[in-house]
């Protein structure tokens, strides 16, 4: 069974440019999470989806970040415009939600460098 | 105040040593608990779940203390390959699980 797939793995852009990350969760996983991870820190939640509904986006900087999960399967996270401080690893994770134990399955992450 | 706290380390131990990490959490209503392992420049992967009754998997033992609101991870007979960052995860419930990560504890096992 395929795991969580993310793309691109690496992205280098200049500040003020837009960037988008894509995530395809494990089949059947209703809950999808986007996390941001800075060096030496644990992952920090940006947004949590239950199917196509964003049930928790309180930590998403909505002035420049947006996310969608239109059909309740794959998801995109967009930053526009990017700032130097956005350089980080963006991790997507999925879980079974109510049917599961809370275990998360992560993709390999998208490493963003903003110059 | 961060909800899940871990000592970032690094813990620098020789092969064969026993090492223990603790993680404290602030929400007494937290539902489930995990330890994840993260290798350098890789994604976190589940190491083990944590139960009040304790959970042992080979050289690894995890324990939950609800009264004192902490979880622990014990690694016996450390191997070089155990070098990694160990992330504590505490789940709350809000229609689905809401995982909160600690900042991770770095372990370096040297020859």
């Amino acid at each position: 069974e395929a795991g969580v797939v993310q793309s691109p793995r690496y992205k280098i852009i200049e500040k003020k440019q837009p960037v988008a990350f894509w995530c395809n969760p494990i089949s059947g996983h209703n809950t999808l999470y986007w996390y941001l991870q800075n060096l030496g820190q644990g992952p920090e939640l940006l947004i949590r989806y239950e199917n196509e509904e964003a049930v928790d986006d309180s930590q998403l900087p909505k002035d420049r970040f947006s996310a969608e999960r239109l059909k309740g399967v794959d998801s995109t996270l967009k930053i526009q415009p990017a700032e130097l401080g956005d350089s980080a690893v963006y991790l997507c994770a999925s879980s079974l939600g109510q049917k599961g134990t809370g275990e998360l399955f992560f993709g390999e992450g998208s490493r963003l460098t903003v110059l | 105040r961060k909800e899940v706290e871990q000592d970032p380390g690094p813990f620098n131990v020789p092969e064969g040593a026993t090492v223990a990490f603790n993680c404290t959490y602030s929400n007494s209503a937290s539902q489930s608990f995990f330890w994840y392992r993260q290798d350098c420049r890789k994604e976190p992967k589940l190491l083990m779940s944590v139960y009040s009754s304790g959970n042992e998997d080979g050289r690894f033992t995890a324990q939950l203390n609800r009264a004192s609101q902490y979880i622990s991870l014990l690694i016996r007979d450390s191997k070089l390959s155990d070098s990694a960052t160990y992330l504590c995860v505490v789940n709350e419930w809000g229609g689905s699980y809401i995982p909160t990560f600690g900042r991770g504890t770095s372990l370096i096992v040297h020859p």
Side-chain angles (χ1 to χ4, degrees):
Chain A
E1 182 181 339
V4 177
V5 179
Q6 287 189 247
S7 67
R9 288 290 312 280
Y10 304 93
K11 189 73 176 179
I12 301 174
I13 60 172
E14 294 187 344
K15 62 181 181 182
K16 301 185 181 180
Q17 295 301 304
V19 63
F21 306 114
W22 176 81
C23 172
N24 188 263
I26 293 173
S27 176
H29 281 197
N30 297 328
T31 310
L32 183 147
Y33 308 80
W34 281 103
Y35 283 90
L36 176 155
Q37 187 174 27
N38 287 304
L39 190 64
Q41 301 294 320
E44 298 175 19
L45 182 68
L46 290 172
I47 190 167
R48 173 169 61 100
Y49 281 94
E50 275 299 317
N51 298 303
E52 67 276 7
E53 182 183 359
V55 294
D56 182 0
D57 63 356
S58 58
Q59 302 303 311
L60 191 72
K62 298 181 184 63
D63 56 336
R64 298 183 301 106
F65 286 65
S66 64
E68 61 183 15
R69 193 184 183 199
L70 292 176
K71 296 183 179 179
V73 180
D74 55 350
S75 174
T76 57
L77 176 70
K78 298 178 181 178
I79 308 174
Q80 182 170 10
E83 296 180 351
L84 295 176
D86 295 331
S87 295
V89 177
Y90 292 83
L91 291 163
C92 178
S94 69
S95 75
L96 281 169
Q98 296 182 23
K99 301 176 185 176
T101 62
E103 179 184 353
L104 297 181
F105 297 82
F106 282 90
E108 292 181 297
S110 295
R111 184 175 298 272
L112 174 66
T113 301
V114 182
L115 303 176
Chain B
R1 173 166 167 259
K2 194 163 175 59
E3 299 175 4
V4 179
E5 302 219 21
Q6 290 183 256
D7 180 348
F11 285 66
N12 204 320
V13 303
E15 274 186 290
T18 295
V19 62
F21 310 135
N22 281 339
C23 168
T24 59
Y25 61 96
S26 59
N27 186 350
S28 60
S30 295
Q31 297 280 323
S32 59
F33 308 84
F34 301 91
W35 283 101
Y36 281 71
R37 170 187 169 133
Q38 186 171 26
D39 293 296
C40 187
R41 302 181 76 85
K42 298 287 188 180
E43 73 275 21
K45 292 184 178 178
L46 180 68
L47 178 65
M48 57 198 310
S49 304
V50 189
Y51 309 115
S52 297
S53 56
N55 187 14
E56 185 172 324
D57 183 4
R59 299 181 293 108
F60 297 82
T61 300
Q63 192 81 42
L64 165 64
N65 186 317
R66 282 194 179 271
S68 301
Q69 294 182 206
Y70 75 87
I71 68 173
S72 63
L73 178 67
L74 181 76
I75 305 175
R76 291 180 297 277
D77 188 23
S78 298
K79 311 293 185 189
L80 296 177
S81 57
D82 294 334
S83 298
T85 296
Y86 292 85
L87 295 159
C88 162
V89 180
V90 175
N91 272 330
E92 298 176 22
W93 181 255
S96 60
Y97 288 105
I98 308 171
T100 300
F101 283 77
R103 65 176 296 177
T105 297
S106 176
L107 172 65
I108 301 169
V109 182
H110 59 82

